[in-house]
Amino acid sequence: RLVPLLLLLLLLLLLGPALGQGLGQTRFVCTSVPLDGDVCAASALGTGSAEELKGTVLQLRETVLQQKETIMNQKETIRELTAKLGRCESQSVLEPGEAKGRKGFAKNTMGDLSRPPAAETLSQLGQTLQSLKTRLENLEQFSRMNSSSQTNNLKDILQNKIDDLEKQVLSRVNSLEEGKLSPRNESEERGKIESTLTSLHQRISDLEKGQKDNRPPDRFQLTFPLRTNYMYAKVKKSLPEMYAFSICMWIKSNASPGMGTPFSYAVPGQANELVLIEWGNNPMEILINDKVAKLPFVINDGKWHHICVTWTTRDGVWEAYQDGTQTGNGENLAPYHPIKPQGVLVLGQEQDTLGGGFDATQAFVGELAHFNVWDRKLSPGEVYGLATCSSKALAGNVIAWAESNIDIYGGATKWTFEACRQLN
């Protein structure tokens, strides 16, 4: 046995240098392998993991950069769509059957008429032009009694401007029918016309100031000719804490569906402290601290109507009067909740925030006068006296209707109140 082993050792000694020259220098790499691991797989990972990890990190970084760029592009697209949506909303009103945007109610501001926004805009502009013409007719009667060359010259200038506006509206109708106006051009045209209308309202209001000396301080009305988020009036005085109230006014509107918000009273922390609103095809509602009662008024006929709502915190009892007659009553409307003080009282808009947050789709369209507030429940006889323009009718002991108590904004106008003159 020793002889073969000795011969094997001798062969290794003789062939060793030759084998070393053929293979070159040899380096051994050690890789830790779990007891139950795959030796072949571990060897492969040990020789290539660094390059693979580096490649993976680079791929991940490239993916993150691409996603970041995509997100930025999407944000820009969202901003553009939001701007376009805002322009659409400014020309639209509510869909029938939609509810007011408040707690517990869904809000959709994408339109409240089945006809196109352009047609609604033209209809409103036509009503506004007719309103301006009526006011000019009143000024003509005034100028006949007070023959002033300055008054006549102003009247002629305003009449010419109204004629020009009518031509613009007619041209716009033709362009819309022929499909020449793009949404952008249509928005620009509407902006120009509304700007001219606001200027006209102001000029006519200045001209009407000459009549103020001949009328009582409460013989005026507010006119909101368009559904906007910038026309409104603000009562200078806030409401005190009230455990009962009566709110009465003359109102005229033919806006359909829904005349909007004749008044809203907001306090810190509660935008819907006291609101009167007719929303879409819903009946008119009175809100107290976000609690709602539906009022049985039928007044959306373009004629003057006198309405009153009374309420007491005890059991939340309320009554509704139209044209001097009680038409409805109920209870459990915000019982034992006093109306909070130190708020903001706005005519013509619904407040989503204190003194602001107006939404054009909730704006009042029409005319309003003799808005009075009492901190008690009026008797049926007192309400009837107000509705019949009795000389003994009371003025509100909390808010009395007087020009000195009202500030107007955005083109809403004041002019002589006609309803009581027609009754008398």
Coordinates of all heavy atoms in Angstrom, one line a residue, residues 238-241 265-268 340-344 354:
S238 N -76.7 94.7 13.6 CA -76.8 93.2 13.9 C -78.1 93.0 14.7 O -78.7 93.9 15.2 CB -75.6 92.7 14.6 OG -75.7 91.3 14.8
L239 N -78.4 91.7 14.8 CA -79.6 91.3 15.6 C -79.1 91.1 17.1 O -78.0 90.6 17.3 CB -80.2 90.0 15.1 CG -80.8 90.1 13.7 CD1 -81.4 88.7 13.3 CD2 -81.8 91.2 13.5
P240 N -80.0 91.4 18.0 CA -79.7 91.1 19.4 C -80.1 89.6 19.7 O -80.6 88.9 18.8 CB -80.6 92.1 20.2 CG -81.8 92.2 19.3 CD -81.3 92.1 17.9
E241 N -79.8 89.2 20.9 CA -80.3 87.8 21.3 C -81.8 87.9 21.3 O -82.4 88.8 22.0 CB -79.7 87.4 22.6 CG -80.1 86.0 23.0 CD -79.4 85.5 24.3 OE1 -79.6 86.2 25.3 OE2 -78.7 84.5 24.2
Y265 N -78.8 85.4 7.9 CA -78.2 85.9 9.1 C -77.2 84.9 9.7 O -77.6 83.8 10.0 CB -79.2 86.3 10.2 CG -78.7 86.8 11.5 CD1 -78.0 88.0 11.6 CD2 -78.8 86.0 12.7 CE1 -77.4 88.5 12.8 CE2 -78.3 86.5 13.9 CZ -77.6 87.7 13.9 OH -77.1 88.1 15.1
A266 N -75.9 85.2 9.7 CA -74.9 84.3 10.2 C -74.2 84.9 11.4 O -74.1 86.1 11.6 CB -73.8 84.1 9.1
V267 N -73.8 84.0 12.3 CA -73.1 84.3 13.5 C -71.8 83.5 13.6 O -71.7 82.5 12.8 CB -74.0 84.1 14.8 CG1 -75.2 84.9 14.8 CG2 -74.3 82.6 14.9
P268 N -70.9 83.9 14.4 CA -69.6 83.1 14.4 C -69.9 81.7 14.8 O -70.6 81.4 15.8 CB -68.8 83.8 15.6 CG -69.3 85.2 15.5 CD -70.8 85.1 15.2
K340 N -78.9 84.0 18.2 CA -77.7 84.6 18.8 C -77.4 86.0 18.2 O -77.7 86.3 17.1 CB -76.5 83.7 18.5 CG -76.6 82.3 19.1 CD -75.5 81.4 18.7 CE -75.6 80.0 19.3 NZ -74.5 79.1 19.0
P341 N -76.7 86.8 19.1 CA -76.4 88.2 18.7 C -75.1 88.3 17.9 O -74.4 87.3 17.7 CB -76.3 88.9 20.0 CG -75.8 87.9 20.9 CD -76.4 86.5 20.5
Q342 N -74.7 89.5 17.6 CA -73.4 89.8 17.0 C -73.1 89.1 15.7 O -72.0 88.6 15.5 CB -72.3 89.5 18.0 CG -72.4 90.2 19.4 CD -72.5 91.7 19.3 OE1 -71.8 92.3 18.5 NE2 -73.5 92.3 20.0
G343 N -74.1 89.0 14.8 CA -73.9 88.4 13.5 C -74.0 89.4 12.4 O -73.9 90.6 12.6
V344 N -74.1 88.8 11.2 CA -74.1 89.7 10.0 C -75.4 89.4 9.2 O -75.7 88.2 8.9 CB -72.9 89.4 9.1 CG1 -73.0 90.2 7.8 CG2 -71.6 89.7 9.8
L354 N -69.1 83.8 7.7 CA -69.6 85.0 8.3 C -69.4 86.2 7.4 O -68.3 86.6 7.1 CB -68.9 85.3 9.7 CG -69.5 86.4 10.5 CD1 -70.9 86.1 11.0 CD2 -68.6 86.7 11.7

